[in-house]
Amino acid sequence: GNSVTQMEGPVTLSEEAFLTINCTYTATGYPSLFWYVQYPGEGLQLLLKATKADDKGSNKGFEATYRKETTSFHLEKGSVQVSDSAVYFCALSDLVDSSYKLIFGSGTRLLVRP
Amino acid sequence: DAGITQSPRHKVTETGTPVTLRCHQTENHRYMYWYRQDPGHGLRLIHYSYGVKDTDKGEVSDGYSVSRSKTEDFLLTLESATSSQTSVYFCAISETEETQYFGPGTRLLVL
């Protein structure tokens, strides 16, 4: 079945460092891809999404490009801040029994130190 | 932010007791979902609804039931709670069926 694999965390960076969180997927067809962020004690928030190959999703300085050839959707940010400390989830939208379901990776915790 | 509330936000219960969690939305979205979040597993779908009185099972539905009698409310019931159901439960809503918006979560501890 379809699945999402994320890099193991935690990822620890200093403020203003460059961030990459890897995400690869297995899917039949052409799913939409998402990044969600979960701040401590809160629910998940949609960070960005891409609906077709070569699309780039972006929000709050974060970017991810839908790469069909490498089945990847890596999350990047040029300069992280302490406030970016959170857990990041990659997900794909899977059509199952005529309904879409989100399939999530296991999450990557990011810790940004001042 | 999408108008989604969950109640209760925290609950401690004993093994074998019934538990009902409530998800309430003010967005009039058609689709509603219940997930559980456990370390190392990300989020896993328990049940979902695609309309009033229309529900279906997700990946980890055993031991759970749901009901949706109104567009705005989606209830998750643990008929007889077990320690393996200790988790954080999230409700989500969607209008497009692809992009989902999540509630703040309910932390459940089954002793």
Side-chain angles (χ1 to χ4, degrees), chain A residues 3-30:
Chain A
S3 64
V4 174
T5 302
Q6 288 182 238
M7 60 189 292
E8 291 276 339
V11 173
T12 303
L13 296 173
S14 297
E15 203 165 25
E16 299 184 1
F18 184 85
L19 168 70
T20 300
I21 299 178
N22 290 337
C23 171
T24 57
Y25 66 90
T26 302
T28 54
Y30 305 100

Side-chain angles (χ1 to χ4, degrees), chain B residues 7-64:
Chain B
S7 59
R9 294 293 313 278
H10 302 272
K11 185 168 182 68
V12 179
T13 191
E14 294 185 349
T15 298
T17 60
V19 176
T20 295
L21 309 182
R22 180 183 184 233
C23 177
H24 178 78
Q25 62 148 326
T26 58
E27 305 296 322
N28 202 37
H29 283 352
R30 177 182 176 189
Y31 302 94
M32 297 185 77
Y33 308 82
W34 277 108
Y35 292 88
R36 59 178 291 172
Q37 182 180 28
D38 304 290
H41 289 280
L43 272 76
R44 293 180 291 175
L45 182 65
I46 305 171
H47 282 280
Y48 67 100
S49 170
Y50 46 95
V52 174
K53 297 186 179 177
D54 291 325
T55 65
D56 208 345
K57 296 179 180 180
E59 178 188 1
V60 291
S61 60
D62 287 349
Y64 302 94

Side-chain angles (χ1 to χ4, degrees), chain B residues 67-88:
Chain B
S67 66
R68 191 172 179 196
S69 58
K70 298 185 289 185
T71 299
E72 58 266 34
D73 289 325
F74 192 33
L75 304 180
L76 176 70
T77 297
L78 291 65
E79 302 290 347
S80 177
T82 68
S83 58
S84 64
Q85 293 176 312
T86 291
S87 187
V88 182

Side-chain angles (χ1 to χ4, degrees), chain A residues 36 38 49 99-101, chain B residues 37 48 90 97-100:
Chain A
Y36 281 84
Q38 183 179 31
K49 69 177 185 180
S99 291
Y100 285 98
K101 313 288 188 301
Chain B
Q37 182 180 28
Y48 67 100
F90 287 99
E97 203 181 12
E98 280 207 309
T99 302
Q100 297 182 18

Side-chain angles (χ1 to χ4, degrees), chain A residues 76-94:
Chain A
E76 296 181 337
K77 187 175 185 183
S79 176
V80 293
Q81 306 301 312
V82 173
S83 57
D84 293 327
S85 297
V87 180
Y88 293 82
F89 291 92
C90 185
L92 66 81
S93 181
D94 189 19

